[in-house]
Amino acid sequence: MKVCCVIPLLLLATTALAQVASDVIPASAANCAVESPPAAVGLVATPGGFVMVFPRNDALPKPYTGCKTLWVVTGERPPRFATLYFKEGTLAVAAAHNIRDASGRLDGACAFPEGKSLLPNAGREIKDSGCTGFSKEGFYQLYVPTWPRLCMTDPKAAVCQQDPR
């Protein structure tokens, strides 16, 4: 095979390496194999709507090693938009899912604390610079205050009138 043909094949193989969260996050870790929102999911209000978070704070042992998953609340099948892997309570990997892809294909992933892109040539082609800053935002923390899922269908329930926990 000529060199001119090998380089494009190598580039194609590199971009196809990571397609799902288990390619960059250990699927065997606690809550890392969760694909769809379970009954115990929590809700976070945002300016644009609601986000589902699992697991909720009360279910996290200390120190926690495992995943938190985030879904956008839209219609019957909320798309997963992020899988976060924490190691001993600290964010280690953040994987961004393509919310327009029903399979949950990855758009990008970042390793922390280095802020290095794990998929610089795939999805949205997130470079290292795209991995800085957002890890300090509320959604990407281990403890995210949430309301129970019930609040989506019964916002007048007593538990929904309390502060999220």
Side-chain angles (χ1 to χ4, degrees):
M1 187 178 285
K2 293 181 181 177
V3 174
C4 67
C5 299
V6 172
I7 292 173
L9 287 176
L10 287 174
L11 289 173
L12 180 62
T14 303
T15 59
L17 285 177
Q19 296 296 314
V20 294
S22 61
D23 290 338
V24 294
I25 292 173
S28 61
N31 300 306
C32 291
V34 175
E35 293 289 325
S36 58
V41 73
L43 292 175
V44 176
T46 73
F50 288 98
V51 171
M52 293 181 175
V53 178
F54 181 81
R56 294 184 69 204
N57 294 344
D58 294 349
L60 297 173
K62 292 182 185 179
Y64 179 65
T65 294
C67 289
K68 287 195 89 153
T69 307
L70 310 171
W71 295 268
V72 176
V73 176
T74 59
E76 292 178 31
R77 295 189 56 206
R80 179 171 45 161
F81 82 87
T83 301
L84 310 173
Y85 175 66
F86 292 87
K87 196 169 189 176
E88 296 185 13
T90 302
L91 182 62
V93 177
H97 299 270
N98 182 333
I99 63 171
R100 290 176 178 84
D101 183 338
S103 71
R105 185 174 46 87
L106 293 183
D107 259 351
C110 299
F112 299 98
E114 308 87 13
K116 300 251 332 144
S117 176
L118 296 173
L119 307 172
N121 300 314
R124 287 184 270 156
E125 296 186 1
I126 297 170
K127 305 297 181 204
D128 290 349
S129 61
C131 291
T132 59
F134 78 88
S135 66
K136 298 201 185 326
E137 292 181 24
F139 282 128
Y140 302 100
Q141 303 306 306
L142 179 57
Y143 296 104
V144 177
T146 63
W147 284 283
R149 186 178 199 162
L150 163 76
C151 297
M152 198 162 49
T153 56
D154 187 6
K156 294 186 187 244
V159 70
C160 304
Q161 302 308 307
Q162 301 171 8
D163 288 336
R165 53 183 179 90

